[in-house]
């Protein structure tokens, strides 16, 4: 059942809400159950895992009745005005306060606190909220980096609609040591999210009452059931033998459980190819979910049970695979066996190897073994969380000296290869077999003489009729390339677009040589954001300030800020700054940016340049260079050197600090 918990904003009384009677608390809990569970779920840490986090949210809300008082006797009959459904009241305020306090305790010490709170029992299933859109997923990833206190303050202000004063009072009562500080951080986070914050929090990604269910490891459960029945039969036979024995014999030695344990472990590893999932051939063209789950099983070996068994066995063993199976794992990818039967994507011969592609638990697995001669098998594991029309459009099936072959999604109608360094050269058509396997796509040489990329177009049968770029970074899934035009080009803010237009291709021609540095790091998509353009002094032309953000499959984001001179043949010059493994900078939730660098003009005169994104209205430089200007660009003539501290003004968001703490000098144009 889907929950509908849209509700009016409610405030709490100036004093702590009184403890209600149990009957009143039960009635309010039933009425407001979805919103309270959503509140608890938002505060609990994502590190619990999606299944346990959902169960914990329900458990905390249900346990909130434990401290309710005894039911009060009914009031004497008389004229009354019925309370309107959804109207705020002291009972809801009392429940909300208890849920927030319990969720904060659980977030601080999840193992101890939740260990004392029995979770709802769910056997044989894993529960998790439905997958949201890109904005919801980005917000969930950003919230995971916030403290539980900030998440609670954010939820009270956005979800519950409390005033800052009431939210501060509730947080203090719930045990938060610095409620005002948590509220300030939550307000900064809210201003970054923008006006969509409330609608995003009411999405399916944050609704633990509208959940999807998936089975646990069915094969392991089946073997456990058989093992239990076998042990029970042994015990029953032993009891019957003892009852029929008339003479007293010495007790037999205890039977070791090691053979049974080894049998159960071996059976659990023995995956059954009969259980593999196979999507219907044309289901992708008539579904609202266009992703890897809609891929049909293709290839000449889909009926080769022996090959499929070897692939499943290698995956089941994971890091304990035989020495003749070489294991390659993309960073951050679990190596555990699938929790349910995997989906078969491909099986068949490619470039002298028998190849199997599987998909399960948001992972892609490639197994390959030589068809002729000796040589070990290869097992590759990579993440594929929420792969969609673009990020789930191709999977590498083979790599040789000629390049990589890809298995294309069934919704891809056209495919071609182009050199990103030569945007004016038309893309070359790429041949595709009947099974969807492409001809080899050349790899980029180490000297960056060329950067090949796939340019594909989706079918009109899925409405998503558009072309997009995919770059091979040496992993199973190629990386989706997008770009965000500079301000003043007519493009709305925060709107990455496909890079297949003339302008998009010209933009990526400047940044293409940065892509090889991301090989093997688990990158899902890369967006090149041109956050500012600036006119150089002495009529030396215009420069472009860029922020290139690499989104990883596990939700992390890494960025690089660069400065590009007027010469289109020149390489971008990076602006030194922090290199965190995860940041919201240059994303939907980090759309403000300010950076600076020294520059020497062709005349030999030295300048300090700085530029901010479209929302910056003023820039101040302090240190070796001291200046303040209105607008988004600063250019100051100077002979100074050293670190310059930048501060930008962004209306509604306060001061914006400059990117990094060290500047570098760029050569002339």
């Amino acid at each position: 059942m889907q929950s509908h918990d849209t509700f009016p904003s409610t405030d709490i009384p100036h004093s702590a809400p009184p403890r209600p009677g149990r009957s009143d608390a039960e009635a309010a809990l039933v009425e407001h159950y979805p919103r309270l569970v959503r509140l608890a779920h938002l505060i609990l840490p994502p590190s619990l895992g999606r299944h346990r986090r959902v169960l914990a949210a329900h458990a905390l809300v249900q346990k909130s009745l434990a401290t309710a008082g005894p039911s009060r006797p009914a009031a004497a009959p008389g004229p009354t005005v019925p309370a309107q459904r959804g109207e705020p009241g002291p009972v809801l305020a009392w429940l909300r306060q208890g849920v927030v306090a319990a969720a904060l305790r659980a977030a601080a010490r999840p193992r101890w606190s939740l260990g004392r709170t029995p979770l709802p029992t769910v056997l044989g299933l894993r529960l998790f909220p439905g997958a949201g859109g890109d904005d919801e997923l980005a917000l969930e990833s950003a919230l995971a980096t916030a403290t539980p206190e900030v998440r609670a303050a954010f939820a009270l202000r956005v979800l519950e609609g409390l005033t800052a004063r009431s939210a501060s009072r509730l947080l203090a009562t719930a045990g938060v040591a610095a409620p005002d500080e948590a509220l300030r951080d939550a307000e900064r986070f809210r201003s970054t999210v923008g006006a969509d914050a409330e609608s995003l929090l009411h999405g399916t990604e944050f609704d633990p009452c509208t959940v999807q269910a998936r089975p646990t490891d069915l094969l392991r459960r089946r073997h456990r059931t058989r093992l239990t029945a076998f042990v029970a039969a042994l015990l029953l036979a032993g009891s019957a033998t003892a009852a029929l024995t008339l003479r007293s014999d010495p007790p037999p030695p205890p039977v070791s459980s090691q053979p049974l344990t080894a049998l159960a472990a071996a059976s659990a590893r023995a995956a059954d190819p009969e259980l593999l999932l196979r999507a219907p051939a044309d289901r992708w063209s008539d579904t609202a979910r266009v992703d890897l789950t809609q891929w049909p099983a293709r290839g000449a070996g889909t009926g080769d049970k022996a090959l499929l068994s070897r692939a499943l066995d290698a995956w089941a063993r994971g890091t304990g695979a035989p020495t003749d199976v070489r294991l390659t794992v993309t960073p951050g990818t679990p190596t555990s066996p699938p929790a349910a039967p995997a989906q078969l994507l491909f099986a068949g011969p490619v470039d002298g190897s028998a190849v199997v592609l599987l998909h399960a638990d948001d992972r892609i697995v490639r197994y390959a073994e030589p068809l002729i001669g000796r040589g070990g098998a290869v097992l590759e594991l990579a993440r594929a969380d929420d792969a969609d029309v673009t990020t789930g459009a191709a999977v590498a099936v083979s790599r040789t000296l000629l390049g990589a072959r890809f298995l294309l999604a069934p919704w891809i109608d056209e495919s071609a290869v182009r050199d990103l360094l030569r945007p004016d050269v038309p893309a070359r058509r790429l041949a595709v077999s009947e099974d969807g396997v492409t001809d080899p796509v050349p790899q980029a040489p180490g000297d960056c003489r060329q950067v090949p990329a796939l340019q594909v177009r989706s079918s009109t049968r899925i409405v998503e009729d558009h072309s997009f770029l995919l770059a091979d970074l040496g992993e199973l899934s190629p990386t989706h390339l997008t770009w965000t035009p500079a301000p003043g080009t007519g493009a709305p803010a925060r709107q990455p677009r496909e890079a297949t237009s003339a302008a998009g291709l010209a933009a990526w021609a400047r940044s293409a040589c940065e892509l090889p540095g991301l090989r093997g790091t688990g990158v899902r998509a890369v967006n090149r954001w041109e956050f500012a353009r600036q006119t150089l002094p002495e009529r030396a032309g215009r420069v472009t300030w860029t922020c290139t953000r690499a989104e990883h499959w596990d939700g992390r984001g890494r960025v690089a800020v660069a400065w590009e001179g007027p010469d289109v043949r020149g390489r971008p010059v990076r602006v030194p700054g922090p290199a965190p493994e995860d940041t919201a900078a240059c994303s939907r939730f980090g759309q403000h940016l300010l950076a600076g660098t020294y520059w020497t003009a062709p005349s030999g005169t030295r300048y300090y340049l700085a530029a901010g994104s479209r929302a910056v209205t003023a820039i101040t430089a302090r240190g070796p260079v001291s200046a303040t200007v209105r607008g988004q660009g600063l250019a100051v003539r100077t002979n100074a050197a050293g670190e310059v501290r930048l501060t930008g003004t962004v209306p509604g968001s306060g001061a914006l600090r400059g990117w990094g703490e060290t500047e570098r000098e760029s050569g002339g144009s």
Side-chain angles (χ1 to χ4, degrees):
M1 178 179 295
Q2 185 172 359
S3 65
H4 299 279
D5 54 348
T6 300
F7 36 82
S9 59
T10 60
D11 225 332
I12 63 175
H14 291 285
S15 59
R19 185 174 68 163
R22 186 170 186 83
S23 59
D24 293 337
E26 288 179 351
L29 181 67
V30 170
E31 180 178 350
H32 301 289
Y33 186 80
R35 69 186 291 180
L36 293 172
V37 175
R38 189 187 292 261
L39 177 63
H41 181 265
L42 189 61
I43 299 173
L44 289 171
S47 59
L48 290 174
R50 294 191 294 178
H51 175 76
R52 186 169 175 82
R53 190 182 181 192
V54 166
L55 297 184
H58 284 271
L60 293 177
V61 173
Q62 294 170 15
K63 191 182 178 183
S64 63
L65 287 176
T67 56
S71 299
R72 297 184 176 89
T80 60
V81 178
Q84 299 299 310
R85 183 175 179 84
E87 195 172 88
V91 180
L92 172 59
W94 180 83
L95 287 171
R96 180 172 53 201
Q97 179 176 299
V99 167
V100 171
L104 287 172
R105 288 194 300 270
R109 302 177 63 184
R111 180 172 299 181
W112 180 85
S113 182
L114 294 179
R116 303 178 60 184
T117 304
L119 301 183
T121 302
V122 179
L123 299 178
L125 291 175
R126 306 289 293 179
L127 305 180
F128 51 90
D134 291 341
D135 288 347
E136 289 173 306
L137 293 174
L139 177 57
E140 170 70 6
S141 177
L143 284 171
T145 64
T147 64
E149 293 78 10
V150 173
R151 289 198 299 269
F154 183 70
L156 292 175
R157 294 283 284 134
V158 178
L159 270 182
E160 296 296 308
L162 298 187
T163 63
R165 181 180 179 185
S166 296
S168 176
R169 197 161 46 242
L170 191 154
L171 291 172
T173 305
V176 176
D180 292 337
E181 181 179 348
L183 281 169
R184 283 193 295 269
D185 292 340
E187 285 303 314
R188 282 194 291 268
F189 190 84
R190 184 179 186 179
S191 65
T192 301
V193 177
D196 298 335
E198 184 175 0
S199 62
L200 290 175
L201 288 183
H202 281 97
T204 56
E205 183 76 20
F206 303 98
D207 186 2
C209 291
T210 304
V211 296
Q212 298 181 13
R214 292 291 185 272
T216 55
D217 193 339
L218 297 179
L219 187 61
R220 190 184 300 272
R221 284 165 49 197
R222 185 176 68 176
H223 291 311
R224 285 177 178 172
T225 302
R226 290 179 177 176
L227 178 61
T228 302
F230 178 62
V231 173
L234 288 178
L235 293 176
L236 182 60
S239 300
T241 302
L244 293 176
T245 301
L246 299 180
R247 59 186 179 85
S248 175
D249 290 333
V255 179
S256 173
S257 63
Q258 292 182 356
L260 295 179
T261 304
L263 176 62
S267 299
R269 293 193 299 267
D272 188 351
E274 295 287 348
L275 299 177
L276 285 173
L277 304 178
R278 301 169 188 248
D282 292 327
R283 189 172 69 180
W284 62 269
S285 62
D286 188 22
T287 178
R289 181 178 181 180
V290 184
D291 56 16
L292 288 168
T293 62
Q294 309 305 316
W295 280 37
R298 290 172 286 178
T302 55
D304 189 343
K305 295 183 180 179
L307 171 63
L308 299 178
S309 294
R310 291 193 295 273
L312 290 170
D313 181 67
W315 188 6
R317 298 190 188 189
T319 55
T323 55
D324 60 341
V325 177
R326 180 164 52 89
L327 179 64
T328 302
V329 182
T330 297
T333 304
T335 59
S336 58
Q343 178 188 356
L344 179 61
L345 304 181
F346 179 87
V350 182
D351 291 333
S353 296
V355 179
V356 177
L357 292 180
L358 301 169
H359 172 245
D361 297 339
D362 289 333
R363 289 175 292 172
I364 298 177
V365 174
R366 177 183 176 270
Y367 172 83
E369 61 183 28
L371 288 172
I372 303 175
R374 297 182 178 181
V378 175
L379 182 69
E380 295 180 67
L381 285 81
R383 298 184 68 148
D385 307 60
D386 302 305
D388 54 20
V389 173
T390 56
T391 54
V395 176
V397 70
S398 172
R399 294 186 185 278
T400 65
L401 294 177
L402 296 178
R405 295 183 188 266
F406 292 91
L407 179 66
L408 297 181
W411 57 80
I412 297 301
D413 268 357
E414 301 176 11
S415 59
V417 178
R418 72 175 317 121
D419 184 359
L420 292 179
L421 296 180
R422 295 165 178 81
D424 296 333
V425 177
R428 173 177 55 86
R429 181 180 176 275
L430 184 64
V432 181
S433 70
E434 293 183 357
D435 290 330
V437 178
T438 69
D439 278 359
V441 177
Q443 296 184 7
D447 57 2
C448 198
R449 286 180 287 108
Q450 62 175 341
V451 182
L454 277 170
Q455 182 169 321
V456 297
R457 179 180 294 277
S458 59
S459 171
T460 56
R461 296 171 64 185
I462 61 169
V463 180
E464 293 280 353
D465 177 22
H466 71 289
S467 60
F468 48 93
L469 293 178
L470 300 172
D472 179 19
L473 297 184
E475 302 178 19
L476 289 180
S477 296
T479 300
H480 181 209
L481 302 182
T482 58
W483 77 300
T484 304
T489 59
R494 300 173 298 162
Q495 188 177 347
R497 55 184 61 188
E498 302 300 347
T500 51
S501 65
L505 292 171
W508 263 109
R510 303 291 300 268
S511 300
C513 287
E514 304 297 318
L515 290 174
L518 299 173
R519 292 182 65 89
T521 58
V523 175
R524 164 193 178 121
V526 181
N527 181 58
R528 172 193 156 101
W529 174 32
E530 299 176 357
F531 68 89
R533 282 184 179 168
Q534 184 178 18
T535 301
L536 292 173
E538 303 183 11
R539 299 181 180 181
R542 301 190 74 191
V543 297
T544 300
W545 297 82
T546 66
C547 180
T548 304
R549 178 178 175 85
E551 295 277 356
H552 294 256
W553 285 104
D554 59 5
R556 294 178 297 113
R558 300 170 61 185
V559 304
V561 179
W563 178 95
E564 297 176 353
D567 186 358
V568 295
R569 296 169 298 178
R571 294 283 185 88
V573 179
R574 286 202 178 188
V575 177
E581 289 297 321
D582 188 15
T583 177
C586 307
S587 73
R588 168 72 171 78
F589 304 106
Q591 53 187 305
H592 305 312
L593 189 62
L594 174 64
T597 186
Y598 289 103
W599 171 73
T600 301
S603 65
T605 305
R606 201 158 182 261
Y607 293 86
Y608 183 80
L609 307 176
S613 52
R614 70 178 72 220
V616 174
T617 58
I619 300 175
T620 298
R622 293 185 177 88
V625 177
S626 180
T628 298
V629 297
R630 293 180 178 271
Q632 299 167 344
L634 177 146
V636 180
R637 184 173 179 173
T638 181
N639 291 321
E643 179 181 332
V644 178
R645 298 185 303 277
L646 293 174
T647 303
T649 301
V650 179
S653 298
L656 175 66
R657 297 178 60 186
W659 177 259
E661 299 179 354
T662 306
E663 275 61 37
R664 65 179 293 177
E665 182 172 353
S666 302
S669 60

